Amino acid sequence: MTKVAIMGATGYAALELIKILLRNPEVEIVALTTRSDEAPHISEIHHSLEGRLDLRCENLSAAEIAERADFVFCALPHVASMEVIPDLLADGCRVVDLSADYRLSDPAVYEQWYHHVHIDPTRLGSTIYGLPELGADKIPSADLIANPGCYTSASILGLAPLIANSLIEPTGIIIDAKSGVSGAGRKPKLGTLYPECNESITAYGVGTHRHTPEIEEVLTTLGGTDVKVTFTPHLTPMNRGILATMYPRLKEDTSLDHLKEVYRAFYADKPFVRIIDRLPATREVAGTNYCDISLQSAGNQLIVFSAIDNLIKGAAGVAVQNFNLMAGYPETTGLIV
Amino acid sequence: MTKVAIMGATGYAALELIKILLRNPEVEIVALTTRSDEAPHISEIHHSLEGRLDLRCENLSAAEIAERADFVFCALPHVASMEVIPDLLADGCRVVDLSADYRLSDPAVYEQWYHHVHIDPTRLGSTIYGLPELGADKIPSADLIANPGCYTSASILGLAPLIANSLIEPTGIIIDAKSGVSGAGRKPKLGTLYPECNESITAYGVGTHRHTPEIEEVLTTLGGTDVKVTFTPHLTPMNRGILATMYPRLKEDTSLDHLKEVYRAFYADKPFVRIIDRLPATREVAGTNYCDISLQSAGNQLIVFSAIDNLIKGAAGVAVQNFNLMAGYPETTGLIV
Amino acid sequence: MTKVAIMGATGYAALELIKILLRNPEVEIVALTTRSDEAPHISEIHHSLEGRLDLRCENLSAAEIAERADFVFCALPHVASMEVIPDLLADGCRVVDLSADYRLSDPAVYEQWYHHVHIDPTRLGSTIYGLPELGADKIPSADLIANPGCYTSASILGLAPLIANSLIEPTGIIIDAKSGVSGAGRKPKLGTLYPECNESITAYGVGTHRHTPEIEEVLTTLGGTDVKVTFTPHLTPMNRGILATMYPRLKEDTSLDHLKEVYRAFYADKPFVRIIDRLPATREVAGTNYCDISLQSAGNQLIVFSAIDNLIKGAAGVAVQNFNLMAGYPETTGLIV
Amino acid sequence: MTKVAIMGATGYAALELIKILLRNPEVEIVALTTRSDEAPHISEIHHSLEGRLDLRCENLSAAEIAERADFVFCALPHVASMEVIPDLLADGCRVVDLSADYRLSDPAVYEQWYHHVHIDPTRLGSTIYGLPELGADKIPSADLIANPGCYTSASILGLAPLIANSLIEPTGIIIDAKSGVSGAGRKPKLGTLYPECNESITAYGVGTHRHTPEIEEVLTTLGGTDVKVTFTPHLTPMNRGILATMYPRLKEDTSLDHLKEVYRAFYADKPFVRIIDRLPATREVAGTNYCDISLQSAGNQLIVFSAIDNLIKGAAGVAVQNFNLMAGYPETTGLIV
């Protein structure tokens, strides 16, 4: 039995975490936190959990959490995460951090994109980046995993076989990504009000979205050469799902069939990546931990499509995948629905 | 008073045509056609027209139409259009054709993309392409106007100033376009059923969408050099709107400010193009004949966003804009709502 | 030329007001207000107005407004409205108030439902209720019109012919109403975030919704007998539209055909009420000032359906209808689109 | 291990059946049928099943199915079901029929509502109606279960405690129900095209919907007195979910608290019914087998809200619940997600 806490239990990813963890009979959720002192019951926050989990969301310190839990999912915003994670680790908890605080290796890059000085810089560079499809060997023994961003997972999984095999120009890769509105979080903002999003599609964060350096760093490490992407996210009128449409330039003419073989080899034995012939649709991965990838050509332009559920494979699902590897459960536990 | 007929009155664009034309007190809609012989009242087809237009949709020949109307909007599917338009013209009607039949200048290209031999090839090459923002001088005297495709208008308006001024590489232009579902027409198909489209985004027609040669031909003519685009349309869960996100490569470093000046000069005195600083959202042009264009940069990549209502600026609105120019009404008649 | 001001210009109904008024060439919009002191341009607030109206939203006093405008649409929240309207009237402005402040005749009833003491109670009881279909004779000479609530208009128009003709039991009338999310306003709240509303329908305000006493008072006055309704609003995943499904009990068996005649007679010469045989759908009235009403029976239960656009016939459209009557323009000016 | 076949595997409920059954390690899906002879792979029909179930949809006779399977879920349309079920039973299969063919006890009532002569009338009246919350004792030994309709389950579960305890007038019960579009099936029709349903709500089937006699029969049997309802379904712009808003008349004044106790007692030990204090929203039960019920009052009118996922508790979920009881698995197997 693993005793698990979730910090920041009020958001959309936390709800998915809870639902996935409830499917693992060897997991016990022992603590949920929120910054409010009113200690609302989790079913007041997430009505769908009515009758399924009898816990309140408490305003707990790291020490209080560590008294109850062996394992912590940190679903706090960035900055808030790095303020608590060192204490959790010091108190013996193992942590999957869903925020961006430990994803980048260079504190200067973190500061440039997040406009905060990193307060735990010594862990940057050594924290394991938890995208198991790119190498899961270091995850089981890690105490802290930086869980990837949602756009990041979709984009990296779509490009990794090309980068790893030096098949494409590493710079100027265009990623045109479309996300459902849950990706913008649960805090009320004008921009995510129903009548503002519904019946409309728009880009946002052009040239400034924080998943850009994350995509570039992971792919640069993978390819051993400087990777640069143009990343353009779009807010799409749907709750869930990310579709990344990617336009890499092949170094030399390569058949789609050969490329599909490269992808199938790269993702052999990876239970959550499906290389498909048809074009992916986000509804076909909604609610699942799958990443559907399709290779297409338009004239001599290669186009890679990658679709995930932003809250599952893009957040809670991969977090539990990491947790399963860390805690010694089969990688797919709770994730095949 | 201009007497107007609409052929193919049952589709979504035809409904918009009717609503726009009803706003012009000098237009009388005298005939609506459908291929059914049941002669349904137009308010049975489009319930929103209840009490606003008292006409039945009849199965009329070109001769019968020409007896009643001076002017015909042909909203038939391709092939059906070219089967009737020669007769309409011979009978003295002036025509705006909303289908693709007269948009391309080369019958061989038409056959390649539409898989039909063109039956009126002599008019190809001389038919006026009705995108008034690219030159409206030949429209007033035309008897036949080829009304542009929806994706085409959004894409061409977004790229024209760059092509006309030789500012970008003419080939390898990536156009990642997102359209609402009304663009797929009103014929029941599995792919456009509500539960198939809702809560999902997917690409379609990759490398094969028929607006590709249309975009390329118009821009090639405009730039005097062979333009090639990679055009990737996406079906987006909304009724209306197109957002084209375009990634051209600048020939040399040029400031965004300078480019905006180029665009503002190019579209000076064009009432329906708005060059905006913020990112466009399709809901901001929904129901209007506007095309909102925004220039952005991400690193050294220029990104052009262009948003229209696919049924208005992408079909019925520009059709009436052409009609207004042909019939001598102010260009904006019925189109400022 | 009528000089018009709109107080509270940042909301959804105000946007519709502006768009409708822009269609009347004899109206000049001279002032827009907001409580912010930053004086944002209206196109920063409502992007769709880009290039259509060159005005800033200012924080203006009643006196400042009265210096510029002859006529004021007050689109403020309740309480804020009654704080400014007496001054506007004293300064000679004529006013259409879109808030609830002057809709009820009894200050005690107002206090009971709105939990505020009315500060201008002497005007209650004498203010004209602006639902022109129930009698437009007093509107032209009024200085202040209380514009009806959105649910109220849909419900009253659906029931009025039955009440006026004493055809139904006046109490126990069930009104099951469904509204789009724009009816909840533009202020960010968790309950109207996109992911909270999308893919879900839920009731709210059961037994407490403030349109209840308004419906009851108007129908009571109309019928000369105490009318009581059970009003249950539902939040529906769409931007716009109200469908009210009403279950009145006929006093005695009456044929549908006869009832339709009663309705057609009641609404003869009312340009915005359409008595239809089919079932109304909100999309068929979206963007219009129409109210579509249908009578049906299920066994011996009469069911009345009434559909409007909550922002047009439910707010801005009827406000302009009232304005047209007050200012001497044709009732439909700007409202037939 | 139970060998299971699904007849009519191409629809939305069948997809849910498959996903639920895949969660039961003791179930093997051995056959899927469709009336097409092309034998499409199930992942061509339901893309989300890619890599999860390697079976083709075959055009199989009852005898061929019986050779492979012990248990059949019949997800065919009505009429098609009764054409095959007698043979399946004769060949030794146990069957859950998701169609309406065996739900009513009287062949004459069936013919009146379905406009077909029942071809297996002797089974009507003795077939077990599979709503386990109303009495699951006869389900385990049944060979044929009539699985309830979606609206039916929501409505009956919401009213059953009141009827069983004779607390309300048995006639004139108003049920105003709202359903997502998946309830209308997967066959392309104009009425369920995305642009026809999106941004709109409308009633349909007023006075004629076939779930009406089913609700009335089950409640009549339960209450021992003739129950009559006015059932008005509405098509709501969402994929999934039913919300039934019900207006029964209490025989005598009863407190909400007492009524809640009645409900809690009635559904004690029923794992899928949740009596909640807040108002239910369909998204809170989406993807689950829960039925959320809430009791409210508006003045002296009792209002009962009942929310389910139309494809799960309204179809596939309750079908598996019945199957679990028949096959001896725990009732909740595969259904707690």
Side-chain angles (χ1 to χ4, degrees):
Chain A
M1 182 67 72
T2 308
K3 297 186 177 210
V4 165
I6 298 170
M7 298 196 70
T10 59
Y12 293 127
L15 170 59
E16 299 303 320
L17 269 176
I18 293 169
K19 292 198 293 187
I20 297 169
L21 292 170
L22 286 175
R23 291 181 209 130
N24 185 341
E26 297 183 49
V27 163
E28 185 188 0
I29 302 175
V30 295
L32 302 171
T33 82
T34 180
R35 278 166 292 187
S36 151
D37 282 324
E38 295 174 20
H41 194 277
I42 189 65
S43 67
E44 294 172 59
I45 304 295
H46 300 298
H47 297 161
S48 61
L49 293 177
E50 180 80 32
R52 301 182 61 187
L53 177 62
D54 189 14
L55 268 184
R56 295 194 163 272
C57 297
E58 301 167 85
N59 193 349
L60 299 174
S61 68
E64 289 168 314
I65 291 165
E67 272 176 38
R68 299 193 207 167
D70 312 314
F71 202 99
V72 180
F73 290 95
C74 191
L76 298 170
H78 65 273
V79 181
S81 263
M82 64 184 174
E83 287 171 352
V84 69
I85 282 176
D87 291 342
L88 290 171
L89 294 170
D91 287 340
C93 289
R94 299 175 77 194
V95 178
V96 172
D97 178 25
L98 282 83
S99 90
D101 279 347
Y102 293 91
R103 292 179 193 158
L104 301 171
S105 60
D106 184 343
V109 175
Y110 180 88
E111 189 175 340
Q112 173 193 343
W113 288 85
Y114 289 88
H115 311 309
H116 284 274
V117 177
H118 205 288
I119 61 176
D120 188 21
T122 59
R123 279 200 177 82
L124 299 198
S126 63
T127 300
I128 303 301
Y129 188 80
L131 194 52
E133 285 79 8
L134 293 199
D137 52 321
K138 292 179 181 164
I139 296 173
S141 60
D143 287 329
L144 172 62
I145 291 286
N147 210 54
C150 53
Y151 285 121
T152 325
S153 285
S155 302
I156 292 174
L157 291 174
L159 294 169
L162 298 172
I163 293 288
N165 290 282
S166 297
L167 290 166
I168 57 170
E169 299 296 340
T171 61
I173 303 170
I174 287 165
I175 304 174
D176 190 286
K178 299 90 179 165
S179 173
V181 183
S182 63
R186 205 183 181 196
K187 193 174 162 184
K189 284 175 288 192
L190 179 61
T192 49
L193 273 199
Y194 186 90
E196 304 286 316
C197 296
N198 189 40
E199 281 295 290
S200 198
I201 187 166
T202 184
Y204 68 100
V206 176
T208 63
H209 196 283
R210 290 157 167 175
H211 289 177
T212 310
E214 192 181 331
I215 297 169
E216 291 180 344
E217 176 172 334
V218 175
L219 290 177
T220 293
T221 302
L222 181 70
T225 184
D226 214 28
V227 172
K228 290 288 174 198
V229 302
T230 296
F231 173 65
T232 312
H234 295 74
L235 194 64
T236 308
M238 57 190 190
N239 279 356
R240 298 168 76 143
I242 285 178
L243 178 68
T245 308
M246 293 171 277
Y247 302 88
R249 284 166 298 143
L250 286 167
K251 286 184 177 167
E252 48 190 83
D253 250 21
T254 316
S255 75
L256 274 188
D257 282 348
H258 174 64
L259 292 172
K260 286 181 190 177
E261 280 173 35
V262 168
Y263 272 67
R264 292 208 164 94
F266 191 88
Y267 291 121
D269 304 322
K270 303 300 179 198
F272 296 118
V273 176
R274 302 189 292 198
I275 311 302
I276 61 176
D277 289 320
R278 67 175 180 278
L279 293 161
T282 57
R283 78 181 173 89
E284 295 163 8
V285 293
T288 82
N289 201 47
Y290 289 111
C291 177
D292 280 359
I293 296 174
S294 180
L295 304 175
Q296 305 288 331
S297 63
N300 53 9
Q301 173 69 57
L302 173 65
I303 311 179
V304 183
F305 297 92
S306 174
I308 63 169
D309 182 317
N310 60 306
L311 294 178
I312 308 288
K313 187 58 178 166
V318 68
V320 174
Q321 203 180 340
N322 284 314
F323 162 78
N324 286 339
L325 292 167
M326 293 166 84
Y329 301 116
E331 186 175 354
T332 58
T333 305
L335 294 168
I336 299 294
V337 294
Chain B
M1 184 66 71
T2 309
K3 297 187 178 210
V4 166
I6 297 171
M7 298 196 70
T10 59
Y12 293 128
L15 170 59
E16 299 303 319
L17 270 176
I18 293 169
K19 291 199 293 188
I20 297 169
L21 292 170
L22 286 174
R23 292 181 207 130
N24 185 339
E26 298 184 49
V27 163
E28 184 186 2
I29 302 175
V30 295
L32 303 172
T33 82
T34 179
R35 277 165 294 186
S36 150
D37 282 325
E38 295 174 18
H41 194 277
I42 189 65
S43 67
E44 294 173 60
I45 303 294
H46 300 297
H47 297 162
S48 61
L49 293 177
E50 180 80 33
R52 301 182 61 188
L53 177 62
D54 189 14
L55 267 184
R56 294 194 163 273
C57 296
E58 301 167 87
N59 193 350
L60 299 174
S61 68
E64 290 168 315
I65 292 166
E67 273 176 37
R68 301 192 205 167
D70 313 313
F71 202 99
V72 180
F73 290 95
C74 190
L76 298 170
H78 65 272
V79 180
S81 262
M82 65 184 173
E83 287 171 354
V84 68
I85 282 176
D87 291 343
L88 289 171
L89 294 169
D91 286 341
C93 289
R94 300 175 77 194
V95 178
V96 172
D97 178 24
L98 282 83
S99 90
D101 279 347
Y102 293 91
R103 292 179 193 158
L104 300 172
S105 60
D106 182 342
V109 175
Y110 180 88
E111 188 175 341
Q112 174 194 342
W113 288 85
Y114 289 88
H115 312 309
H116 284 274
V117 176
H118 204 288
I119 61 177
D120 188 21
T122 59
R123 280 200 176 82
L124 298 199
S126 62
T127 300
I128 304 301
Y129 189 79
L131 193 53
E133 286 79 8
L134 293 199
D137 52 321
K138 292 180 181 162
I139 295 173
S141 60
D143 287 328
L144 172 62
I145 291 287
N147 210 55
C150 52
Y151 285 121
T152 324
S153 286
S155 302
I156 292 174
L157 292 174
L159 294 170
L162 298 172
I163 293 289
N165 291 282
S166 296
L167 291 165
I168 57 170
E169 298 296 338
T171 63
I173 303 170
I174 288 165
I175 304 174
D176 190 287
K178 299 90 179 166
S179 173
V181 183
S182 63
R186 205 183 182 197
K187 193 173 162 186
K189 284 175 288 192
L190 179 61
T192 48
L193 273 200
Y194 186 90
E196 304 286 316
C197 297
N198 189 40
E199 281 296 288
S200 199
I201 187 165
T202 185
Y204 67 100
V206 176
T208 63
H209 196 283
R210 288 156 167 173
H211 289 177
T212 310
E214 192 181 329
I215 297 169
E216 292 181 343
E217 176 172 335
V218 175
L219 291 178
T220 293
T221 302
L222 180 70
T225 183
D226 213 29
V227 172
K228 290 287 174 198
V229 302
T230 295
F231 173 65
T232 312
H234 294 75
L235 195 64
T236 308
M238 56 190 192
N239 279 356
R240 297 168 77 147
I242 284 178
L243 178 68
T245 308
M246 293 170 277
Y247 302 88
R249 284 166 298 144
L250 286 167
K251 285 183 176 168
E252 49 190 81
D253 250 20
T254 316
S255 74
L256 274 188
D257 282 349
H258 175 65
L259 292 173
K260 286 181 190 177
E261 280 172 35
V262 169
Y263 272 68
R264 293 207 165 96
F266 192 88
Y267 291 121
D269 305 322
K270 304 299 178 194
F272 296 118
V273 176
R274 303 190 291 199
I275 311 302
I276 61 176
D277 290 320
R278 67 175 181 279
L279 292 162
T282 57
R283 77 181 173 90
E284 295 163 7
V285 294
T288 82
N289 201 47
Y290 289 111
C291 177
D292 279 359
I293 295 175
S294 179
L295 305 176
Q296 306 287 333
S297 63
N300 54 10
Q301 173 69 56
L302 173 66
I303 311 179
V304 183
F305 296 92
S306 174
I308 63 169
D309 183 317
N310 60 306
L311 293 178
I312 309 288
K313 187 58 179 167
V318 68
V320 175
Q321 203 181 339
N322 283 314
F323 162 78
N324 286 339
L325 292 166
M326 293 166 83
Y329 301 115
E331 187 175 355
T332 59
T333 305
L335 293 168
I336 298 294
V337 294
Chain C
M1 183 68 69
T2 308
K3 297 187 178 209
V4 165
I6 298 171
M7 298 196 71
T10 60
Y12 293 128
L15 170 60
E16 299 304 318
L17 269 177
I18 292 170
K19 292 198 295 187
I20 297 169
L21 292 170
L22 286 175
R23 291 181 209 131
N24 185 340
E26 297 183 51
V27 164
E28 185 187 1
I29 302 175
V30 295
L32 303 171
T33 81
T34 179
R35 277 164 294 184
S36 150
D37 282 325
E38 296 174 16
H41 194 277
I42 189 65
S43 67
E44 294 172 59
I45 303 294
H46 300 299
H47 296 162
S48 62
L49 293 177
E50 180 80 34
R52 301 182 62 188
L53 178 62
D54 190 14
L55 267 185
R56 295 195 164 273
C57 296
E58 302 167 85
N59 193 348
L60 299 174
S61 68
E64 290 167 315
I65 292 166
E67 273 177 36
R68 301 192 206 166
D70 312 315
F71 201 99
V72 180
F73 290 94
C74 190
L76 299 170
H78 65 273
V79 180
S81 263
M82 64 184 173
E83 287 172 354
V84 68
I85 282 175
D87 290 342
L88 290 171
L89 294 169
D91 287 340
C93 289
R94 300 174 77 193
V95 179
V96 172
D97 179 24
L98 282 82
S99 89
D101 280 347
Y102 293 91
R103 292 178 193 158
L104 300 172
S105 60
D106 182 342
V109 175
Y110 180 87
E111 189 175 342
Q112 173 193 345
W113 288 84
Y114 289 89
H115 311 308
H116 284 272
V117 175
H118 205 288
I119 61 177
D120 188 23
T122 58
R123 280 201 176 82
L124 299 199
S126 63
T127 301
I128 303 301
Y129 189 79
L131 193 52
E133 286 79 9
L134 291 200
D137 51 322
K138 293 179 182 165
I139 296 174
S141 59
D143 286 327
L144 172 62
I145 291 287
N147 211 53
C150 51
Y151 284 120
T152 325
S153 286
S155 303
I156 292 173
L157 291 174
L159 294 170
L162 298 173
I163 293 289
N165 290 282
S166 297
L167 291 165
I168 57 172
E169 299 296 337
T171 61
I173 303 170
I174 286 166
I175 305 174
D176 189 287
K178 299 90 179 168
S179 172
V181 184
S182 63
R186 206 183 180 197
K187 192 172 166 187
K189 284 174 288 192
L190 179 61
T192 49
L193 272 199
Y194 186 89
E196 304 286 317
C197 297
N198 190 39
E199 283 293 288
S200 199
I201 188 165
T202 185
Y204 68 101
V206 176
T208 63
H209 196 284
R210 289 156 168 175
H211 289 177
T212 310
E214 191 181 331
I215 297 169
E216 292 179 343
E217 175 172 335
V218 175
L219 291 178
T220 293
T221 303
L222 181 70
T225 182
D226 213 28
V227 172
K228 289 289 174 196
V229 303
T230 294
F231 173 65
T232 313
H234 294 75
L235 194 64
T236 307
M238 56 189 193
N239 280 355
R240 297 167 76 146
I242 284 178
L243 178 67
T245 308
M246 293 170 278
Y247 302 87
R249 283 168 298 145
L250 286 167
K251 286 185 178 169
E252 49 190 80
D253 249 19
T254 317
S255 75
L256 275 187
D257 282 348
H258 174 66
L259 292 172
K260 287 181 190 177
E261 278 172 38
V262 168
Y263 273 67
R264 292 207 165 95
F266 192 88
Y267 292 122
D269 303 322
K270 304 299 178 195
F272 296 118
V273 176
R274 303 189 292 198
I275 310 303
I276 61 177
D277 289 321
R278 66 175 182 279
L279 293 162
T282 57
R283 76 181 175 89
E284 295 163 7
V285 293
T288 81
N289 201 48
Y290 289 111
C291 176
D292 279 359
I293 295 174
S294 180
L295 304 177
Q296 305 287 332
S297 63
N300 53 10
Q301 173 68 56
L302 173 66
I303 311 179
V304 183
F305 297 92
S306 173
I308 63 169
D309 182 319
N310 59 306
L311 294 177
I312 310 289
K313 187 58 178 165
V318 68
V320 174
Q321 203 180 340
N322 283 314
F323 162 78
N324 286 339
L325 292 166
M326 292 166 84
Y329 301 116
E331 186 175 355
T332 60
T333 306
L335 293 168
I336 298 294
V337 295
Chain D
M1 183 66 71
T2 308
K3 299 189 176 206
V4 165
I6 298 170
M7 298 196 70
T10 60
Y12 293 128
L15 170 59
E16 299 304 319
L17 269 177
I18 293 170
K19 292 198 293 187
I20 297 168
L21 292 170
L22 286 175
R23 292 181 208 133
N24 185 341
E26 296 184 50
V27 164
E28 185 186 2
I29 302 175
V30 296
L32 303 171
T33 82
T34 179
R35 277 165 292 186
S36 151
D37 282 325
E38 295 174 17
H41 194 278
I42 189 65
S43 67
E44 294 173 59
I45 303 294
H46 300 298
H47 296 161
S48 61
L49 293 177
E50 180 82 32
R52 301 182 62 188
L53 178 62
D54 189 15
L55 266 184
R56 294 193 163 273
C57 296
E58 301 168 86
N59 193 348
L60 299 174
S61 68
E64 289 168 315
I65 292 166
E67 274 177 35
R68 299 191 206 168
D70 312 314
F71 202 99
V72 180
F73 289 95
C74 191
L76 298 170
H78 65 273
V79 180
S81 263
M82 66 184 172
E83 287 172 354
V84 68
I85 281 175
D87 291 343
L88 290 171
L89 293 169
D91 286 340
C93 290
R94 300 174 77 193
V95 178
V96 172
D97 179 25
L98 282 83
S99 89
D101 279 347
Y102 292 92
R103 292 180 193 157
L104 300 171
S105 60
D106 183 342
V109 175
Y110 180 89
E111 188 175 341
Q112 173 194 344
W113 288 85
Y114 290 88
H115 311 308
H116 284 273
V117 175
H118 205 288
I119 61 176
D120 188 22
T122 60
R123 280 200 177 81
L124 298 198
S126 62
T127 300
I128 304 300
Y129 189 79
L131 193 52
E133 286 79 8
L134 292 201
D137 52 321
K138 291 179 182 163
I139 296 174
S141 61
D143 287 327
L144 172 62
I145 291 287
N147 211 53
C150 52
Y151 284 120
T152 325
S153 286
S155 303
I156 292 174
L157 291 174
L159 294 171
L162 298 172
I163 293 289
N165 290 283
S166 296
L167 291 165
I168 57 172
E169 299 296 338
T171 62
I173 303 170
I174 287 165
I175 303 175
D176 190 287
K178 298 89 178 168
S179 172
V181 183
S182 64
R186 205 182 181 197
K187 192 174 165 186
K189 284 174 288 193
L190 178 61
T192 50
L193 273 198
Y194 186 89
E196 304 286 316
C197 297
N198 190 40
E199 283 293 289
S200 198
I201 189 165
T202 184
Y204 67 101
V206 176
T208 64
H209 197 284
R210 289 156 169 176
H211 289 177
T212 310
E214 193 182 331
I215 297 169
E216 292 180 343
E217 175 172 336
V218 174
L219 291 178
T220 293
T221 302
L222 180 70
T225 182
D226 214 29
V227 172
K228 290 289 174 195
V229 303
T230 294
F231 173 65
T232 312
H234 294 75
L235 194 65
T236 308
M238 58 189 192
N239 279 355
R240 296 167 77 146
I242 285 177
L243 178 67
T245 308
M246 292 170 277
Y247 302 88
R249 283 167 297 145
L250 286 166
K251 286 184 176 168
E252 49 191 81
D253 250 18
T254 317
S255 74
L256 274 188
D257 282 348
H258 174 66
L259 292 173
K260 286 181 191 177
E261 277 171 39
V262 168
Y263 273 68
R264 292 207 165 94
F266 192 87
Y267 291 121
D269 305 321
K270 304 300 177 194
F272 296 118
V273 175
R274 304 189 292 198
I275 310 302
I276 62 177
D277 289 321
R278 66 175 180 278
L279 292 161
T282 57
R283 77 181 174 89
E284 295 163 8
V285 293
T288 82
N289 201 48
Y290 289 111
C291 177
D292 279 359
I293 295 174
S294 181
L295 304 177
Q296 306 287 334
S297 63
N300 53 8
Q301 173 68 56
L302 173 66
I303 310 179
V304 183
F305 297 92
S306 173
I308 63 169
D309 182 318
N310 59 307
L311 294 178
I312 308 289
K313 187 59 179 165
V318 68
V320 175
Q321 201 180 342
N322 283 314
F323 163 77
N324 286 339
L325 292 166
M326 293 166 83
Y329 301 117
E331 187 175 353
T332 60
T333 305
L335 293 168
I336 298 294
V337 296

